[in-house]
Structure formats: C-alpha cells, structure tokens
Amino acid sequence: MESVAMQTVQSLSRLRGLAHTFQLCRAVTSQTVSFEGLLPAPHVSHLRFLSTGSPLCAKPRNLIKGKRDVSEKKLTRYFVDHRKVRVVGGTGGDGASCFHSEPRKEFGGPNGGDGGNGGHVIFKVDPCVKSFSSIAPVYQGFEGESGRSKNCYGKCGETLYIKVPIGTLVKEDGVTLADLSTPGEEFVASYGGIGGKGNRFFLSNENRAPVMATPGSPGEERCLQLELKTMAHAGMVGFPNAGKSSLLRLLTNARPAVAAYPFTTLNPHVGVINYQDYEQIAVILVADVPGIIEGAHQNRGLGLSFLRHIERCRILLYVLDLTHPEPWTQLNSLQYELGQFDESLPLRPHLIVANKLDLPNARRSLEVLRKEVKGRIIAVSALTGENAEELIHHLRELYDGHRQEGKIAEPYMGW
C-alpha cells in the first residue's frame, strides 16, 4: 500500500509540473498574461525554462525585400558589352627519348611515349552570365604532359571553358566567326598544340635504335573581339528622358536608375513580363536601351554601342514624350535612325507608346498625335500606371501573332 501511495504522489507532482509548464507556454503565446506569478521560486532558479524575452526583444526582419536599386555609375562598371580577348591554346607535351632497360635484355629497344595534346580554349554560353565584366583579357590553355618511359603517353591538357552570355558575337579582324545565341552552345576559340612524338614512334627496320624525340607544338594564338547583343523579344526605344526606364520599372521587376532630374540610361536593362497562362514561351523580355539622339547611326552619342542590342528584338516599342510640342517628330527621327542602321528595323512589328499622360497638356498633345500618326497609339503614365494593363495585353497580342506567322516564314534572318 505504501508503494502505491508513493507512486500516486509522484504522479500528482509530475502532473502539477506539466500543468505549470503548460500555463507558462500559454502565457508566452498570448503575451497578455503577466510572468511575475508564473516564474519559479528562487531556490530552483538553476533550472532553464522557456525563453520569454527573445520574441519580444528580437530584431524585426523584413521578409519581403525589394530589389536594391543600383546607381547608373555602378551599372556602367558592372555591365560590359564588348571585350577584346587574347586566347592561347595549351602547348603539347614533349615526347620522351628512352630505351627499355631490363636484366638479360641488352637490346630492349626504344620505349619513349608521346606527349599529350594541349587543351583547347572554348567559349560556352551560360544563361547566368549577363555581361563580359568577368572575362579576363588573356586566357592560356592547359599544357599537355610529356611522355615517359615504358611507352607511357602524356596526359592531354584539360579544356578551358570561358562562360559568355547569350547573344555573344565572336569576331576577328571585323569578320564574324560565331553567333552564340543558344544556351550551352560552344565555340572553339583556339586549339591546343599537338603533343610531341617519342623515340618509339621513329622505330623502323632501317633505324632500330632511334634517339630522336620531337617537342610539343605550341597552341593556337588569336586576338578576338567579343560583342554582346541583348536577347529580347521586345525593345523600347526613344529619346532621352522619354520615360523608358520608369515604364520598364512599371511593367517588370527590373530596376533601372530613375531620378527627378533629366539624364540618359547608359546601359541596356532586361525585364520579364509574366502572364497568367504560365507558358514559358509566352514570357516577353523587354529591353530598355539607352536614348537615341540624332546621328546615332553615325556613332554619335552612345551610337552603335547600343544600337546593336535592338537588332535581335522582334517587336519595337517607340516611347514618345507627350510633353514635347511635336511628339510625332520624335517618331520620325527614331524610325530614320533605325533605318540608317538596319533597313529591316522600321519594318518590324511595332507599337507606339505615348508616355507621361499624367502631366498637364498631355491629353491635348495626344489628340494631335493621333491625327498625325497612323496606327494604334497607347497612352500610358509610368508614374500612375494608367493604361498599363492595356499595354501589356496588346504587347502579348503582337507577340502571339508574330509567333504564329513565324511558323510559316521567318522574315528576319538575324533572329
């Protein structure tokens, strides 16, 4: 009986402890009950209870973080769309000159192995690479190992891969060697040298003990020019301060630099418009290229350094400024500059976007613009987001219509 009573007392004490712990946890969860009456007695202060100060004193975390804006000066340093690279293939390994040595074999014969071939230098397209900022000016391929005795061949040098972005043009003396526009596509920039021959290679009936071995040949050396043409389905073009960067920030998650004072974008930016059908092919890339000035086709201003980014765009968005007294003249100048650079650019599917609809006298300029220009004009406000959905849907219609036509005939060979 005494043992049963003892077990009953122990069980009641354990239940009392569990009830105290449950009451303490409920107080921590609700954060409305005072903890003074729930704290243990001083003589059991060595026990470690549930921490109550951490949730109250913890540093608040901002789990939803937006993309950090980068200044135009830093973007100029990070984004590089042209680079001159000197590539040298790996040197081949030397052949070995030695003879077989073994007891009671006086004439073992030559057994020098050949050297390994030098490694190649290959450009490989990587979708994660966005510019040439990480590409070094000189690349040297790995050398092949020399041959050894017992007819051992040297190990060939490993291939050196240089990761380049999608849309890379490889040129040499102004001649285009490769257009890397597919993920994973490769181009051999320079071949490695051939390994030398060992004296075993020169064994013949006339020469039973050759001692000659050839060294490995040096790798191919070339000076190449890399140019980047941004891969995008649609490209926004316009004069400086037309609101292209603000419009790109409105339509996509891209964050080009914007400010309250007039300035021009120095680097192209790429953003993605996601639609509700979740089709990968239906995602439209919108590239914001720097502003065009008159004479850009003659390399004035930023000139040819960014006009090449428009060549790959299937759809063009002409962004006009409604605060301009005659916005239709901007459209004529844009089409003229693009036509002087490439005759096929003005003939591609396009859309006229009249920006800054929220400013005074903008709607009056819009009415005059509709009378002067034929075709559909979508007036938007990059500041307030007015008519942004109409622009997104019409851009999708142009993309889908052009994709269906592209299955029958491809009018532009550069895509």
Side-chain angles (χ1 to χ4, degrees):
M1 294 295 293
E2 294 180 357
S3 61
V4 174
M6 184 64 67
Q7 292 179 358
T8 304
V9 173
Q10 291 178 356
S11 300
L12 291 175
S13 62
R14 291 177 181 175
L15 289 175
R16 189 180 297 107
L18 292 175
H20 178 76
T21 305
F22 175 74
Q23 186 178 6
L24 181 62
C25 293
R26 186 174 61 180
V28 172
T29 306
S30 61
Q31 295 183 0
T32 58
V33 181
S34 176
F35 297 98
E36 296 180 357
L38 302 177
L39 294 177
H43 64 277
V44 291
S45 60
H46 62 280
L47 298 178
R48 184 175 180 181
F49 286 87
L50 182 65
S51 176
T52 60
S54 298
L56 301 177
C57 303
K59 183 179 179 180
R61 296 183 302 169
N62 186 12
L63 299 180
I64 304 177
K65 295 183 178 180
K67 191 173 180 180
R68 189 175 182 180
D69 295 341
V70 183
S71 64
E72 195 68 22
K73 183 177 181 181
K74 290 185 178 180
L75 286 174
T76 305
R77 184 172 71 248
Y78 296 154
F79 185 85
V80 180
D81 58 356
H82 57 88
R83 178 77 79 183
K84 185 176 181 180
V85 182
R86 185 171 69 93
V87 290
V88 183
T91 305
D94 299 335
S97 178
C98 55
F99 291 87
H100 182 70
S101 177
E102 188 179 349
R104 295 183 295 275
K105 271 194 176 181
E106 183 178 359
F107 303 101
N111 66 348
D114 299 342
N117 298 329
H120 306 319
V121 180
I122 298 179
F123 292 125
K124 186 175 182 179
V125 177
D126 187 358
C128 298
V129 180
K130 302 303 180 183
S131 70
F132 299 140
S133 58
S134 60
I135 294 182
V138 180
Y139 284 95
Q140 173 69 49
F142 295 100
E143 298 182 354
E145 296 184 0
S146 301
R148 298 188 179 182
S149 59
K150 299 182 181 180
N151 296 321
C152 292
Y153 283 51
K155 180 181 177 181
C156 296
E158 297 182 358
T159 302
L160 177 61
Y161 289 97
I162 305 175
K163 297 181 179 180
V164 295
I166 300 177
T168 300
L169 286 179
V170 183
K171 296 184 178 181
E172 184 178 16
D173 297 333
V175 180
T176 302
L177 303 179
D179 186 357
L180 307 178
S181 57
T182 306
E185 188 176 359
E186 298 180 358
F187 171 73
V188 182
S190 62
Y191 290 92
I194 301 177
K197 302 297 182 181
N199 61 343
R200 173 71 181 181
F201 177 81
F202 299 98
L203 178 63
S204 63
N205 293 331
E206 291 78 13
N207 188 2
R208 303 302 300 173
V211 295
M212 182 181 63
T214 59
S217 60
E220 184 181 11
E221 181 176 356
R222 307 173 73 176
C223 291
L224 303 176
Q225 294 83 32
L226 303 181
E227 294 183 3
L228 176 60
K229 291 185 178 180
T230 306
M231 301 292 293
H233 296 97
M236 289 192 292
V237 294
F239 282 92
N241 306 315
K244 301 184 302 300
S245 299
S246 301
L247 190 60
L248 185 63
R249 292 170 68 100
L250 174 65
L251 300 178
T252 68
N253 291 328
R255 289 296 176 266
V258 295
Y261 51 87
F263 73 97
T264 184
T265 304
L266 299 179
N267 300 294
H269 299 269
V270 178
V272 180
I273 299 180
N274 296 313
Y275 292 92
Q276 297 180 358
D277 53 5
Y278 298 103
E279 293 184 6
Q280 185 68 24
I281 194 173
V283 175
I284 296 181
L285 298 178
V286 182
D288 172 25
V289 297
I292 295 180
I293 66 172
E294 296 183 359
H297 69 279
Q298 300 175 353
N299 207 18
R300 293 181 182 178
L302 296 176
L304 303 179
S305 63
F306 83 89
L307 278 175
R308 59 172 175 267
H309 294 285
I310 312 177
E311 289 183 336
R312 297 184 184 271
C313 296
R314 302 181 180 183
I315 304 172
L316 299 181
L317 302 180
Y318 295 104
V319 182
L320 306 181
D321 187 0
L322 289 179
T323 60
H324 193 273
E326 297 179 351
W328 59 89
T329 58
Q330 293 184 341
L331 178 62
N332 298 333
S333 299
L334 291 175
Q335 292 179 343
Y336 173 77
E337 294 295 334
L338 295 180
Q340 293 296 319
F341 178 74
D342 188 351
E343 296 180 355
S344 65
L345 288 179
L347 303 178
R348 297 185 184 183
H350 63 273
L351 178 63
I352 302 175
V353 181
N355 196 13
K356 302 182 181 181
L357 186 62
D358 56 293
L359 296 180
N361 300 327
R363 299 186 182 274
R364 186 180 304 173
S365 300
L366 179 61
E367 296 177 359
V368 180
L369 178 63
R370 294 184 186 275
K371 296 179 181 179
E372 295 291 338
V373 178
K374 297 181 180 180
R376 185 171 182 178
I377 301 175
I378 298 180
V380 299
S381 173
L383 180 63
T384 62
E386 184 178 357
N387 296 336
E389 294 184 0
E390 181 182 359
L391 174 60
I392 292 176
H393 289 303
H394 188 65
L395 186 60
R396 176 62 185 271
E397 292 176 1
L398 286 177
Y399 176 77
D400 291 341
H402 174 72
R403 185 180 60 181
Q404 295 176 1
E405 294 176 0
K407 295 181 180 179
I408 301 175
E410 286 287 348
Y412 310 119
M413 303 302 295
W415 298 348

